[in-house]
Amino acid sequence: MIRCRDVHKVYQQGENQIIALAGVTLEIAKGSFAAIMGPSGSGKSTLLHLIGGLDRPTSGEMLVDGRLIGQMADDEVTVFRRNKIGFVFQFFNLLTTLTAMENVTVPFIIDGRGKADAGRRAAALLEKVGLEKRKDHLPEQLSGGEIQRVAIARALAFNPPILLADEPTGNLDSKNGDAILHLLKQINQDDGCTVVMVTHSEAAASYSDRKIYLHDGRVERAAG
Protein backbone atom coordinates (compact mmCIF):
# COMPACT_ATOMS: atom_id res chain seq x y z
CA MET A 1 0.00 0.00 0.00
CA ILE A 2 2.77 2.47 1.00
CA ARG A 3 6.42 1.89 0.14
CA CYS A 4 9.33 4.27 0.61
CA ARG A 5 12.75 3.51 -0.84
CA ASP A 6 15.72 5.67 0.22
CA VAL A 7 13.54 8.78 0.46
CA HIS A 8 15.33 12.05 1.12
CA LYS A 9 13.81 15.48 1.69
CA VAL A 10 16.06 18.53 1.81
CA TYR A 11 14.85 22.11 2.23
CA GLN A 12 16.94 25.08 1.14
CA GLN A 13 16.95 27.90 3.69
CA GLY A 14 19.10 30.69 2.32
CA GLU A 15 22.54 29.21 1.97
CA ASN A 16 21.77 26.39 4.38
CA GLN A 17 20.30 22.99 3.66
CA ILE A 18 17.82 21.53 6.15
CA ILE A 19 17.77 17.74 5.95
CA ALA A 20 14.29 16.60 7.00
CA LEU A 21 14.57 13.00 5.76
CA ALA A 22 17.89 11.27 5.18
CA GLY A 23 17.15 8.00 3.41
CA VAL A 24 13.87 6.54 4.73
CA THR A 25 13.04 3.01 3.61
CA LEU A 26 9.85 1.38 4.92
CA GLU A 27 6.63 -0.39 3.96
CA ILE A 28 3.16 0.00 5.43
CA ALA A 29 0.78 -2.82 4.53
CA LYS A 30 -2.72 -2.31 3.19
CA GLY A 31 -5.31 -2.24 5.96
CA SER A 32 -2.80 -1.68 8.75
CA PHE A 33 -2.72 1.01 11.45
CA ALA A 34 0.79 2.48 11.69
CA ALA A 35 2.05 5.04 14.18
CA ILE A 36 5.02 7.19 13.19
CA MET A 37 6.90 8.34 16.29
CA GLY A 38 10.03 10.23 17.25
CA PRO A 39 11.20 13.48 18.83
CA SER A 40 10.46 16.91 17.39
CA GLY A 41 12.47 17.45 14.22
CA SER A 42 12.80 13.75 13.47
CA GLY A 43 10.90 14.04 10.18
CA LYS A 44 7.52 12.59 11.20
CA SER A 45 5.27 15.23 9.66
CA THR A 46 7.53 15.58 6.61
CA LEU A 47 7.14 11.86 5.91
CA LEU A 48 3.36 12.09 6.34
CA HIS A 49 3.19 15.05 3.95
CA LEU A 50 5.19 13.14 1.33
CA ILE A 51 2.89 10.12 1.63
CA GLY A 52 -0.09 12.42 1.17
CA GLY A 53 1.35 14.27 -1.81
CA LEU A 54 1.42 17.60 0.03
CA ASP A 55 5.15 17.75 -0.73
CA ARG A 56 7.58 15.92 -2.99
CA PRO A 57 10.73 13.98 -2.08
CA THR A 58 14.07 15.43 -3.09
CA SER A 59 15.11 11.93 -4.13
CA GLY A 60 14.02 8.33 -3.66
CA GLU A 61 10.87 6.40 -4.51
CA MET A 62 7.50 6.98 -2.87
CA LEU A 63 4.85 4.42 -3.92
CA VAL A 64 1.34 5.04 -2.57
CA ASP A 65 -1.59 2.81 -3.54
CA GLY A 66 0.38 1.59 -6.55
CA ARG A 67 1.33 5.05 -7.81
CA LEU A 68 4.66 6.85 -7.75
CA ILE A 69 3.19 9.92 -6.13
CA GLY A 70 6.42 11.93 -6.18
CA GLN A 71 6.53 11.75 -9.96
CA MET A 72 2.95 12.81 -10.70
CA ALA A 73 2.04 16.11 -12.32
CA ASP A 74 0.42 18.62 -9.97
CA ASP A 75 -3.10 18.08 -11.33
CA GLU A 76 -2.70 14.30 -11.04
CA VAL A 77 -1.63 14.64 -7.42
CA THR A 78 -4.67 16.81 -6.67
CA VAL A 79 -7.08 14.22 -8.04
CA PHE A 80 -5.18 11.38 -6.35
CA ARG A 81 -5.36 13.08 -2.94
CA ARG A 82 -9.05 13.80 -3.29
CA ASN A 83 -9.98 10.22 -4.17
CA LYS A 84 -7.39 8.17 -2.30
CA ILE A 85 -6.27 10.01 0.84
CA GLY A 86 -8.08 11.54 3.79
CA PHE A 87 -6.31 14.03 6.07
CA VAL A 88 -6.88 14.69 9.76
CA PHE A 89 -4.84 17.45 11.41
CA GLN A 90 -4.10 18.51 14.98
CA PHE A 91 -5.74 21.91 14.49
CA PHE A 92 -8.89 20.55 12.80
CA ASN A 93 -8.96 23.08 9.91
CA LEU A 94 -12.73 23.48 9.90
CA LEU A 95 -14.39 26.57 8.42
CA THR A 96 -15.56 28.48 11.50
CA THR A 97 -18.55 30.13 9.81
CA LEU A 98 -20.03 26.82 8.62
CA THR A 99 -21.99 24.26 10.60
CA ALA A 100 -20.75 20.70 11.08
CA MET A 101 -23.03 19.59 8.25
CA GLU A 102 -21.82 22.34 5.93
CA ASN A 103 -18.16 21.60 6.68
CA VAL A 104 -18.61 17.95 5.71
CA THR A 105 -20.59 18.96 2.62
CA VAL A 106 -17.76 21.15 1.26
CA PRO A 107 -15.73 18.34 -0.44
CA PHE A 108 -18.81 17.11 -2.29
CA ILE A 109 -19.73 20.60 -3.51
CA ILE A 110 -16.17 21.15 -4.74
CA ASP A 111 -16.45 17.81 -6.55
CA GLY A 112 -19.53 19.09 -8.39
CA ARG A 113 -22.16 17.05 -6.55
CA GLY A 114 -25.68 18.42 -6.30
CA LYS A 115 -26.68 20.03 -3.01
CA ALA A 116 -29.18 17.30 -2.11
CA ASP A 117 -26.74 14.48 -2.83
CA ALA A 118 -23.98 16.27 -0.94
CA GLY A 119 -26.28 16.75 2.03
CA ARG A 120 -27.26 13.07 2.13
CA ARG A 121 -23.66 11.95 2.01
CA ALA A 122 -22.58 14.43 4.67
CA ALA A 123 -25.42 13.37 6.97
CA ALA A 124 -24.39 9.71 6.63
CA LEU A 125 -20.79 10.56 7.52
CA LEU A 126 -21.80 12.59 10.58
CA GLU A 127 -23.92 9.64 11.71
CA LYS A 128 -20.89 7.38 11.22
CA VAL A 129 -18.85 9.48 13.67
CA GLY A 130 -21.75 9.86 16.11
CA LEU A 131 -22.60 13.50 15.47
CA GLU A 132 -25.92 13.36 13.67
CA LYS A 133 -27.54 15.35 16.50
CA ARG A 134 -24.91 18.09 16.31
CA LYS A 135 -25.00 18.66 12.56
CA ASP A 136 -26.42 22.19 12.76
CA HIS A 137 -23.86 23.46 15.28
CA LEU A 138 -20.97 25.77 14.46
CA PRO A 139 -17.45 24.70 15.48
CA GLU A 140 -17.47 27.19 18.37
CA GLN A 141 -20.51 25.36 19.76
CA LEU A 142 -18.77 21.96 19.73
CA SER A 143 -16.22 20.40 22.06
CA GLY A 144 -12.70 19.72 20.82
CA GLY A 145 -13.50 16.04 20.45
CA GLU A 146 -16.63 16.81 18.46
CA ILE A 147 -14.73 19.19 16.19
CA GLN A 148 -12.19 16.47 15.46
CA ARG A 149 -15.02 14.04 14.68
CA VAL A 150 -16.35 16.51 12.13
CA ALA A 151 -12.85 16.72 10.63
CA ILE A 152 -12.68 12.93 10.42
CA ALA A 153 -16.10 12.77 8.76
CA ARG A 154 -14.91 15.31 6.18
CA ALA A 155 -11.72 13.30 5.60
CA LEU A 156 -13.82 10.21 4.82
CA ALA A 157 -15.89 12.00 2.16
CA PHE A 158 -14.76 9.82 -0.76
CA ASN A 159 -14.12 6.59 1.18
CA PRO A 160 -10.34 6.93 0.86
CA PRO A 161 -8.27 3.75 1.23
CA ILE A 162 -5.70 5.76 3.21
CA LEU A 163 -6.29 8.05 6.20
CA LEU A 164 -3.38 10.22 7.36
CA ALA A 165 -3.60 11.72 10.85
CA ASP A 166 -1.04 14.28 12.08
CA GLU A 167 -1.18 14.46 15.91
CA PRO A 168 -5.00 14.00 15.84
CA THR A 169 -5.28 14.09 19.65
CA GLY A 170 -2.66 16.78 20.25
CA ASN A 171 -5.24 19.45 21.22
CA LEU A 172 -7.58 17.15 23.15
CA ASP A 173 -7.85 16.03 26.76
CA SER A 174 -7.30 12.35 27.50
CA LYS A 175 -10.99 11.40 27.44
CA ASN A 176 -11.69 13.02 24.07
CA GLY A 177 -8.34 11.83 22.76
CA ASP A 178 -9.16 8.22 23.61
CA ALA A 179 -12.55 8.56 21.90
CA ILE A 180 -10.88 9.82 18.70
CA LEU A 181 -8.35 6.97 18.78
CA HIS A 182 -11.15 4.44 19.26
CA LEU A 183 -12.89 5.96 16.23
CA LEU A 184 -9.74 5.76 14.08
CA LYS A 185 -9.26 2.14 15.13
CA GLN A 186 -12.89 1.38 14.28
CA ILE A 187 -12.51 2.95 10.82
CA ASN A 188 -9.34 0.92 10.30
CA GLN A 189 -10.99 -2.36 11.29
CA ASP A 190 -14.49 -1.91 9.87
CA ASP A 191 -13.61 -0.20 6.58
CA GLY A 192 -10.20 -1.76 5.95
CA CYS A 193 -8.78 1.76 5.72
CA THR A 194 -5.02 2.06 6.09
CA VAL A 195 -4.37 4.56 8.91
CA VAL A 196 -1.01 6.29 9.30
CA MET A 197 -0.79 8.47 12.41
CA VAL A 198 1.98 10.79 13.58
CA THR A 199 2.10 11.03 17.36
CA HIS A 200 4.43 11.82 20.26
CA SER A 201 2.31 9.71 22.59
CA GLU A 202 3.05 6.07 23.41
CA ALA A 203 -0.51 5.80 24.72
CA ALA A 204 -1.90 6.95 21.37
CA ALA A 205 0.49 4.65 19.51
CA SER A 206 -0.82 1.68 21.49
CA TYR A 207 -3.91 1.77 19.26
CA SER A 208 -1.75 0.99 16.23
CA ASP A 209 -0.55 -2.43 15.12
CA ARG A 210 2.84 -1.12 13.98
CA LYS A 211 5.15 1.56 15.39
CA ILE A 212 7.81 3.25 13.25
CA TYR A 213 10.37 5.30 15.14
CA LEU A 214 12.22 8.10 13.32
CA HIS A 215 15.35 9.87 14.52
CA ASP A 216 17.25 12.55 12.62
CA GLY A 217 15.33 11.81 9.43
CA ARG A 218 15.96 8.07 9.45
CA VAL A 219 14.04 5.00 10.56
CA GLU A 220 15.60 4.09 13.88
CA ARG A 221 13.48 0.99 14.42
CA ALA A 222 10.07 -0.50 13.68
CA ALA A 223 7.92 -2.75 15.83
CA GLY A 224 4.91 -4.81 14.85
Side-chain angles (χ1 to χ4, degrees):
M1 170 61 71
I2 298 168
R3 186 178 71 206
C4 306
R5 287 286 180 268
D6 196 27
V7 170
H8 292 71
K9 182 61 186 181
V10 179
Y11 296 99
Q12 195 70 35
Q13 193 173 73
E15 296 181 355
N16 300 318
Q17 286 190 334
I18 308 299
I19 300 174
L21 295 177
V24 168
T25 295
L26 63 84
E27 292 190 10
I28 298 173
K30 181 179 180 180
S32 63
F33 189 152
I36 300 175
M37 305 187 70
S40 296
S42 61
K44 302 184 303 297
S45 292
T46 297
L47 179 58
L48 201 74
H49 292 170
L50 293 181
I51 292 171
L54 296 175
D55 204 348
R56 296 177 182 270
T58 303
S59 64
E61 180 181 275
M62 177 75 64
L63 193 71
V64 180
D65 197 35
R67 300 288 304 278
L68 288 168
I69 192 167
Q71 298 177 16
M72 291 182 189
D74 289 345
D75 57 345
E76 286 183 286
V77 174
T78 298
V79 173
F80 184 84
R81 280 199 306 262
R82 184 176 64 202
N83 295 327
K84 298 292 186 178
I85 301 173
F87 293 92
V88 180
F89 299 102
Q90 178 179 352
F91 297 104
F92 316 129
N93 291 350
L94 295 187
L95 297 171
T96 58
T97 58
L98 300 184
T99 65
M101 181 76 159
E102 290 166 338
N103 265 286
V104 182
T105 301
V106 166
F108 299 114
I109 299 299
I110 292 174
D111 194 48
R113 310 289 177 93
K115 187 174 181 179
D117 180 47
R120 283 193 297 270
R121 292 172 182 268
L125 286 167
L126 286 173
E127 183 176 359
K128 182 181 182 71
V129 301
L131 282 183
E132 62 272 21
K133 294 182 180 179
R134 307 284 280 169
K135 64 187 176 87
D136 295 322
H137 289 68
L138 293 168
E140 66 181 18
Q141 299 170 314
L142 301 173
S143 70
E146 289 172 334
I147 293 172
Q148 191 62 293
R149 285 176 179 268
V150 175
I152 291 171
R154 183 184 57 187
L156 296 175
F158 300 110
N159 298 313
I162 301 171
L163 184 63
L164 304 181
D166 195 353
E167 296 281 4
T169 62
N171 279 346
L172 303 177
D173 59 35
S174 59
K175 181 180 179 180
N176 279 309
D178 285 343
I180 291 300
L181 292 164
H182 276 292
L183 177 59
L184 292 176
K185 188 67 174 178
Q186 180 183 344
I187 291 166
N188 168 245
Q189 294 178 333
D190 294 352
D191 300 345
C193 182
T194 303
V195 178
V196 183
M197 175 180 67
V198 162
T199 181
H200 283 92
S201 166
E202 286 283 355
S206 69
Y207 285 80
S208 71
D209 47 51
R210 187 169 186 227
K211 300 176 186 176
I212 299 164
Y213 294 87
L214 298 186
H215 186 75
D216 290 340
R218 296 180 173 88
V219 176
E220 184 176 56
R221 60 189 171 95

